[in-house]
Amino acid sequence: MRTGRSALAAVLGGTIALGALTAQPAQAADTGIRVSKVVVNNGKPMVVGTTETKYPTISYRVTWPAGYTISTATTDPFMYHGTTAAKAFEGPGGQLIQHDMIRCYEDGPRAANCEGELRIRPRENLDSAKDATTWKLAFVTFLEKKGQIVSWGYLNSSGTLQVKRAARATVNASPEPVAKNRTLTVTGKLTRADWARRTYSGYGNVSARLQFRKAGATAYTTVKTVRANSSGSLRTTVKATADGSWRWTFGQTATTGGATSAADYVDVK
């Protein structure tokens, strides 16, 4: 079993950078290493905000040429989008998501099953709305003998990860308390992660559902659907008939995760 950062991180001082390979073979080549059965984050999207580091899971099977072992045939996964694996890796301007830790368990003389995590740090890996897209998984592969890299290359795979912008919703119902059968105004705000500005910005022109849970009930019921304005603001009116909680909720899209606001409890007199 091999645990922790693999040979690439050790050779490159913990950072993927082609320039650190100057003492190694200059040209990428087919090392004969192969990967299969690739699964990234169990096939689910990863929703990312502006500060919290996310750790999508990864698993794959690796095989290598005769004459090498699990310790001398290395696969280092990374994710990229919008270009080729080589261009993303070598830069400049390549968008990369690196791995955090990979563990490989031998399964025969020239094969192993590997698992671990990728690491998405918003401030390092995401700087544009264009990063809310499908990222592709590739590998830098190494063959070593006597502590020296004798061959290295890029290896594409079938693995992908949909990265989405995290979203938020707020709610406010007023007046509180309200007289029975009088008008209750429910407002709210939809925002989503703006990776370029490192904050949450208004998420406009999106439909959200206004839901109500009567006091003592266990489930919410959708009362109506309202479309946010261009800045993400929501506003509607309803008739106050019973004590209970109000909230806004909306589902995920191709680029943005869904969100549900906290509940605002209103006492009806």
Side-chain angles (χ1 to χ4, degrees), residues 2 25 30-33 62-74 106 108-112 141-152:
R2 182 173 54 198
D30 184 354
T31 60
I33 296 175
V62 58
T63 60
W64 53 82
Y68 296 90
T69 68
I70 191 173
S71 298
T72 58
T74 300
E106 285 187 275
R110 289 166 47 203
T141 61
F142 289 92
L143 294 177
E144 301 174 59
K145 284 188 176 179
K146 297 181 179 180
Q148 295 293 316
I149 295 174
V150 296
S151 179
W152 70 275

Side-chain angles (χ1 to χ4, degrees), residues 29 31 36 51 56 99 102 105 109 137 144 191 201 211 222 229 267:
T31 60
S36 60
T51 58
H99 71 272
I102 302 296
Y105 305 88
L137 181 72
E144 301 174 59
T191 58
S201 301
Q211 296 185 326
T222 297
N229 66 15
D267 185 19

Side-chain angles (χ1 to χ4, degrees), residues 3-216:
T3 303
R5 295 185 180 274
S6 54
L8 178 62
V11 171
L12 305 186
T15 302
I16 293 182
L18 190 63
L21 289 173
T22 53
Q24 311 302 332
Q27 298 297 320
D30 184 354
T31 60
I33 296 175
R34 298 289 181 265
V35 296
S36 60
K37 299 182 179 180
V38 178
V39 179
V40 181
N41 207 41
N42 293 319
K44 299 178 180 179
M46 178 57 69
V47 179
V48 186
T50 58
T51 58
E52 183 183 0
T53 301
K54 296 290 186 175
Y55 297 93
T57 59
I58 179 176
S59 63
Y60 57 93
R61 180 173 175 80
V62 58
T63 60
W64 53 82
Y68 296 90
T69 68
I70 191 173
S71 298
T72 58
T74 300
T75 54
D76 276 85
F78 67 95
M79 302 207 79
Y80 69 97
H81 74 84
T83 182
T84 66
K87 288 180 179 180
F89 185 88
E90 297 173 26
Q95 291 294 100
L96 295 177
I97 293 174
Q98 300 178 32
H99 71 272
D100 187 63
M101 179 175 289
I102 302 296
R103 301 165 294 276
C104 292
Y105 305 88
E106 285 187 275
D107 183 28
R110 289 166 47 203
N113 295 314
C114 301
E115 62 184 18
E117 296 175 331
L118 301 166
R119 182 183 68 248
I120 304 177
R121 290 176 174 161
R123 293 183 179 274
E124 295 179 10
N125 306 129
L126 309 172
D127 57 20
S128 166
K130 293 181 180 180
D131 293 332
T133 187
T134 300
W135 291 66
K136 304 171 186 177
L137 181 72
F139 297 80
V140 179
T141 61
F142 289 92
L143 294 177
E144 301 174 59
K145 284 188 176 179
K146 297 181 179 180
Q148 295 293 316
I149 295 174
V150 296
S151 179
W152 70 275
Y154 299 110
L155 182 62
N156 290 308
S157 81
S158 61
T160 61
L161 176 67
Q162 185 74 26
V163 177
K164 298 188 177 188
R165 299 162 70 176
R168 295 174 176 173
T170 62
V171 65
N172 182 60
S174 63
E176 298 181 57
V178 63
K180 188 170 184 178
N181 293 323
R182 297 299 294 271
T183 297
L184 186 70
T185 300
V186 186
T187 59
K189 180 80 171 182
L190 308 182
T191 58
R192 61 177 173 173
D194 185 334
W195 295 323
R197 297 168 59 190
R198 309 302 180 192
T199 187
Y200 279 76
S201 301
Y203 187 20
N205 302 312
V206 179
S207 293
R209 290 171 289 154
L210 177 63
Q211 296 185 326
F212 177 68
R213 184 180 66 190
K214 187 175 180 180

